Amino acid sequence: MAKFRVMFTCLLLVVLMVSGCSSGSSSNDKMKTLTLWYWNRSLDDKLINLIQTQFPGIRINAQKIGGDFKSKLKTTLAAGSGGPDIVAFNDWVTELFPSSDRFYDMYDLGAKDVENDYLDWKWQLGVTPEGKMIALPIDTGPTALFYRADLFEQAGLPSAPEEVHKLMGTWDDYFAGGKKLQDALGNKVKFTDNIGNIYTQINAQSDKIYFDKNENFIGEDPSSSMKTAWDLAVKASQMGLLANASTFSSEWNAAANNGRIASFVGAVWCKEILMQSAPDTAGKWRVARAPGGDGNNGGSFLAIMKTSQHPQEAFDVIKWVQNPENQVTSFKDINLFPSAKKALDSDVMQQKEDFFGGQATGEIFTESARHVKPSYFGTKYANLNGIVGRELSSVAIEGKNPEKAWNDALARVKKELLR
Amino acid sequence: MGEPLQKRTHLDPGSSMQLPERKRGLASEIWKHRKEYLAISPFYILFAIFGLFPIVFSMYLSFHKWDGIGEMTFNGLNNYQFMVTDPEFWKAVGNTLLIWVYSTIPMLFFALIVAFLLNATFVRFRTFFRIGYFLPNVTSLVAVAIVFSTLFSNNYGLLNYLFSLFGISPVEWLNKTWGIQLAVSMMVIWRWVGYNAIIYLAGLQSIPTVLYEAAKIDGASGVQSFFRITIPNLRPIILFTVITSTIGGMQIFTESQVLVGNDGGVSGGGLTIVLYLYREAFVNNYFGYGSAVGWGMFILIALFSIFNWRMVQGGGAKDE
């Protein structure tokens, strides 16, 4: 009896282990199963459900990966197996360029045929310096100036989007307008949110930031926007235009809702955040083209892992999900701002929004999306941005000497590049 | 008596002639007790997979450069060298020690008082209070950090609202190094006072009442018996709580991360060692370096625990 129990326990353990490792193989041989990893709201769930009807021979196994998506993807890549066929990337796509051999080059699968359907700058973000196309665009995050029309009016500034853009076409003019607004409204209102956002947005409008395509550091080159962005961000701080509320913190939400922030430059997806965090200001916000030019923040991609058994099918599915019509559907369903040119021309972009006083902000954002400059971010973009951001917040909040902060940032960046 | 002796000679390491036989002996011993070994094996198997392997692997990793996906390249002691020359690492060490001091001393002090009160006969509903004091410890840390972030919020926080009622100008807590450290320490204190109080309470209850009675007969006051009886008898328990709070205090992470983000807030006031490790490994993708920081932290904790042990135990040695 005792022996039987021991045997039984061992058997149970083995069964549990084996069943834990197998990946639910299906009995139907004709169906090809494609596993998809994405995170909540990175793709339209309704469209994913339609894949099966669109491709009768394909069974889609869509898995919403919660928590730290990037870490899980990296763990899977490190393990070398057990990954999905199709995987979503966020704007950290460049971090994966050194491992581009782990993904299919979609140029080999027919991506050239659809290249012209998409915004060129967005498409280029998924192409490695060696010319491999590893990530196909999902959505974009074109930037624009969000501002409080009522506060602008009170301060004697223009409040219509075209006029605002005419007056505040450059960052210097934008800051001058801010000075005027704060002088008129007293100390209660700050013109914009924080120093890091100004720095990030100016770089987002540029085509040369930290690295060239060979991963050489170009931050000290006059063509790079790094120093310009730094100087302008410091200038805004010295003019006292900043509320020093870090982006989308509870502090920021409260400040936006209480009318303490009069404007900020942000991506199209800030609309939803703003609507949720500042409901008391509904109808008072407007959107204009950003000072200094158009830029992009964020936006995701789809890629095919080298471990996939059905790369061609995977590519066909991706191509279909991200075709212009389906991008319009995704925009209607969950506000994914399109990366396909034709989708930008759609009527849904002309819809008026009550939160923005009846303005059709889609007109501004589509224009912005069309004019973003192609840029190469480099694998260490986020690391460098973190270093500079830390020094900038020391300048804005603790009053660190900007000259010293710049030198410290540069020294730290150079140390980082040697790692 | 005969059998153990025989066994000892059997396993005598001096006689190399018996080596093969000894091996066979050990194997047959294990085989003889295979059921027992099998019964205790799940723990050791799981520990080997989820405990031992990661520890050994992180040691291996700390001598390599690895971005988490690509090739690992051996780079000797470079990670350790970078660590000891990185001012941010030492800032993180300093912050961690400061937060540890700010939190542990008041925490253990309050815990002792709470335990003493819970042990006193005049307190009613003692079980209710015991549960009440322990509850913070089982509360989700992220939820706690979010609540504290609204308390300490710069402009719209509850604390600043209270200040405004009394005409005190608001303090931008989370824009100052000390403010961030205070907020993190408060979280630690709030969360761990009850836990340590329960441990002290167990210690208090194990002190024989005859000691107090004898002291009372000899005319000792309450304060005297607290310092002459309670504290000396609690010394091993206090040592235990100091060491566990040192180990815990050196590993503060979630509080800072949720409160002020991956960079530790303004000028990195909330950048603790683990937050620094997390940022370097999982945000900046230096997994080898992260492992090296982990081992650096291990050494620091070990040194610190020895130091604490000497401190707390050193006083006790005299009495014995």
Side-chain angles (χ1 to χ4, degrees):
Chain A
M1 191 64 202
K3 226 173 203 169
F4 172 74
R5 252 186 234 159
V6 171
M7 290 271 286
F8 182 73
T9 317
C10 289
L11 208 70
L12 200 72
L13 271 173
V14 169
V15 168
L16 283 175
M17 278 173 174
V18 170
S19 66
C21 295
S22 80
S23 52
S25 53
S26 71
S27 51
N28 195 336
D29 293 334
K30 280 179 218 155
M31 294 287 275
K32 287 173 178 165
T33 302
L34 291 178
T35 308
L36 161 70
W37 278 10
Y38 68 121
W39 60 92
N40 198 22
R41 298 182 69 85
S42 63
L43 291 169
D44 185 354
D45 289 335
K46 284 188 202 160
L47 272 179
I48 292 174
N49 291 331
L50 284 177
I51 293 174
Q52 239 104 305
T53 35
Q54 184 69 25
F55 301 91
I58 289 171
R59 178 181 291 126
I60 194 95
N61 174 15
Q63 299 180 355
K64 248 181 216 177
I65 306 294
D68 194 345
F69 187 91
K70 188 168 70 169
S71 294
K72 283 182 188 168
L73 173 62
K74 289 196 166 174
T75 312
T76 309
L77 286 170
S81 66
D85 298 274
I86 306 173
V87 63
F89 289 167
N90 211 334
D91 54 354
W92 32 259
V93 56
T94 41
E95 286 177 34
L96 294 171
F97 281 179
S99 320
S100 59
D101 58 334
R102 312 295 295 274
F103 304 95
Y104 274 98
D105 180 355
M106 286 191 244
Y107 278 144
D108 298 339
L109 301 168
K112 274 268 188 265
D113 304 339
V114 290
E115 182 164 358
N116 280 328
D117 292 351
Y118 296 88
L119 293 163
D120 182 58
W121 62 266
K122 172 77 184 181
W123 184 271
Q124 295 305 331
L125 290 175
V127 181
T128 69
E130 302 85 49
K132 279 195 228 168
M133 199 279 174
I134 62 163
L136 191 128
I138 303 179
D139 63 328
T140 58
T143 58
L145 175 69
F146 291 75
Y147 67 98
R148 287 276 302 270
D150 57 326
L151 296 179
F152 273 44
E153 212 162 301
Q154 275 176 44
L157 293 169
S159 63
E162 308 79 51
E163 291 171 48
V164 167
H165 183 60
K166 206 177 281 170
L167 185 75
M168 301 180 184
T170 67
W171 286 93
D172 283 315
D173 292 343
Y174 173 67
F175 296 155
K179 185 90 181 52
K180 200 175 163 197
L181 179 134
Q182 285 191 189
D183 287 345
L185 299 182
N187 225 0
K188 278 215 89 65
V189 180
K190 289 290 180 185
F191 190 53
T192 188
D193 48 5
N194 63 64
I195 193 164
N197 191 42
I198 295 179
Y199 176 78
T200 307
Q201 294 303 345
I202 295 171
N203 280 331
Q205 295 165 349
S206 154
D207 53 354
K208 289 189 179 71
I209 311 168
Y210 299 128
F211 297 100
D212 65 11
K213 282 211 168 187
N214 300 319
E215 292 279 334
N216 297 315
F217 179 64
I218 53 164
E220 287 175 293
D221 195 89
S223 67
S224 150
S225 60
M226 184 181 172
K227 185 72 164 88
T228 325
W230 171 282
D231 288 340
L232 283 168
V234 168
K235 183 181 175 189
S237 171
Q238 285 170 340
M239 288 173 75
L241 302 176
L242 307 174
N244 288 337
S246 41
T247 309
F248 310 141
S249 62
S250 55
E251 193 74 20
W252 190 93
N253 294 346
N257 200 29
N258 293 354
R260 214 175 114 81
I261 297 177
S263 71
F264 65 94
V265 174
V268 61
W269 40 262
C270 294
K271 283 203 295 191
E272 277 167 89
I273 296 172
L274 193 60
M275 284 180 207
Q276 277 164 19
S277 58
D280 297 353
T281 57
K284 295 174 180 167
W285 290 91
R286 299 287 183 284
V287 174
R289 298 283 286 282
D294 300 304
N296 175 71
N297 298 157
S300 32
F301 302 85
L302 285 172
I304 304 167
M305 305 258 292
K306 259 287 159 62
T307 47
S308 172
Q309 300 294 312
H310 314 292
Q312 193 57 53
E313 286 79 3
F315 179 73
D316 293 341
V317 166
I318 291 177
K319 198 170 83 176
W320 179 77
V321 171
Q322 296 306 334
N323 72 24
E325 299 87 70
N326 283 332
Q327 286 207 350
V328 172
T329 312
S330 304
F331 178 72
K332 280 191 213 158
D333 289 345
I334 60 167
N335 275 321
L336 287 180
F337 200 82
S339 56
K341 285 185 261 185
K342 264 192 206 136
L344 294 175
D345 300 331
S346 149
D347 292 341
V348 286
M349 294 298 158
Q350 312 292 324
Q351 237 154 37
K352 295 190 180 347
E353 291 145 278
D354 292 338
F355 189 87
F356 296 95
Q359 186 191 0
T361 62
E363 293 173 3
I364 304 285
F365 287 113
T366 47
E367 269 314 286
S368 173
R370 287 191 187 99
H371 293 93
V372 176
K373 292 180 194 160
S375 178
Y376 181 75
F377 285 88
T379 46
K380 284 192 176 178
Y381 171 83
N383 302 20
L384 265 52
N385 229 31
I387 292 168
V388 180
R390 289 197 280 280
E391 290 296 338
L392 276 175
S393 71
S394 296
V395 171
I397 295 164
E398 293 182 313
K400 185 170 179 178
N401 178 288
E403 197 81 26
K404 184 174 177 352
W406 169 255
N407 290 332
D408 286 354
L410 217 52
R412 177 83 202 171
V413 162
K414 284 180 180 157
K415 200 175 168 198
E416 178 76 21
L417 294 172
L418 290 176
R419 285 173 90 177
Chain B
M1 202 46 203
E3 208 186 311
L5 258 178
Q6 203 184 348
K7 251 187 191 167
R8 203 192 282 164
T9 49
H10 191 71
L11 290 172
D12 185 7
S15 47
S16 55
M17 288 289 284
Q18 287 174 344
L19 197 69
E21 205 187 330
R22 196 181 81 206
K23 259 189 181 165
R24 205 191 308 142
L26 190 66
S28 74
E29 276 299 300
I30 291 173
W31 181 246
K32 212 162 81 187
H33 298 288
R34 59 189 180 280
K35 278 175 202 155
E36 287 84 351
Y37 279 111
L38 190 70
I40 60 166
S41 64
F43 169 78
Y44 290 99
I45 292 170
L46 291 176
F47 174 74
I49 297 171
F50 297 106
L52 192 64
F53 171 72
I55 292 171
V56 175
F57 186 65
S58 80
M59 177 61 110
Y60 171 79
L61 202 55
S62 71
F63 298 108
H64 289 74
K65 187 180 157 151
W66 191 41
D67 66 355
I69 315 170
E71 289 291 302
M72 284 183 207
T73 46
F74 182 76
N75 69 350
L77 288 170
N78 281 6
N79 285 333
Y80 290 95
Q81 199 201 342
F82 189 92
M83 179 172 77
V84 292
T85 55
D86 186 16
E88 289 208 31
F89 171 74
W90 292 109
K91 189 206 265 170
V93 171
N95 285 339
T96 310
L97 292 181
L98 275 178
I99 291 171
W100 178 77
V101 170
Y102 294 158
S103 59
T104 308
I105 294 170
M107 172 185 82
L108 295 182
F109 177 71
F110 288 130
L112 202 56
I113 292 175
V114 168
F116 199 69
L117 288 175
L118 286 178
N119 198 35
T121 39
F122 59 84
V123 178
R124 300 180 69 189
F125 309 116
R126 271 191 280 177
T127 312
F128 170 77
F129 283 117
R130 279 174 207 176
I131 295 171
Y133 279 114
F134 197 73
L135 267 184
N137 200 252
V138 291
T139 312
S140 156
L141 199 44
V142 175
V144 175
I146 290 171
V147 170
F148 269 76
S149 74
T150 60
L151 281 180
F152 284 94
S153 184
N154 290 337
N155 290 303
Y156 307 98
L158 207 60
L159 278 180
N160 279 335
Y161 172 72
L162 289 177
F163 279 15
S164 73
L165 292 184
F166 297 104
I168 307 169
S169 56
V171 179
E172 293 198 333
W173 303 98
L174 300 183
N175 277 353
K176 293 187 166 62
T177 303
W178 63 266
I180 295 170
Q181 291 173 351
L182 179 81
V184 173
S185 305
M186 291 291 283
M187 256 187 268
V188 176
I189 294 172
W190 182 81
R191 194 154 183 263
W192 291 97
V193 159
Y195 172 86
N196 287 298
I198 298 294
I199 292 175
Y200 284 151
L201 184 62
L204 285 176
Q205 284 170 343
S206 70
I207 299 172
T209 44
V210 284
L211 292 178
Y212 291 105
E213 281 159 12
K216 217 172 193 175
I217 291 165
D218 288 345
S221 69
V223 178
Q224 275 175 321
S225 54
F226 180 79
F227 283 106
R228 296 290 172 89
I229 299 171
T230 313
I231 296 286
N233 277 292
L234 270 185
R235 182 166 280 127
I237 312 279
I238 293 174
L239 174 66
F240 172 76
T241 55
V242 168
I243 288 186
T244 50
S245 11
T246 306
I247 295 169
M250 293 288 138
Q251 299 183 39
I252 287 179
F253 165 66
T254 318
E255 289 92 341
S256 275
Q257 203 225 6
V258 178
L259 196 68
V260 285
N262 288 339
D263 279 332
V266 174
S267 72
L271 186 72
T272 61
I273 306 176
V274 184
L275 187 55
Y276 174 78
L277 186 161
Y278 172 81
R279 191 186 79 195
E280 293 301 314
F282 294 97
V283 181
N284 293 343
N285 301 322
Y286 297 112
F287 287 88
Y289 182 62
S291 300
V293 174
W295 281 98
M297 192 169 73
F298 166 77
I299 292 165
L300 279 176
I301 293 178
L303 287 177
F304 224 69
S305 298
I306 293 169
F307 172 73
N308 272 329
W309 187 66
R310 283 279 166 86
M311 281 268 287
V312 181
Q313 198 70 356
K318 283 189 299 216
D319 297 346
E320 281 154 30

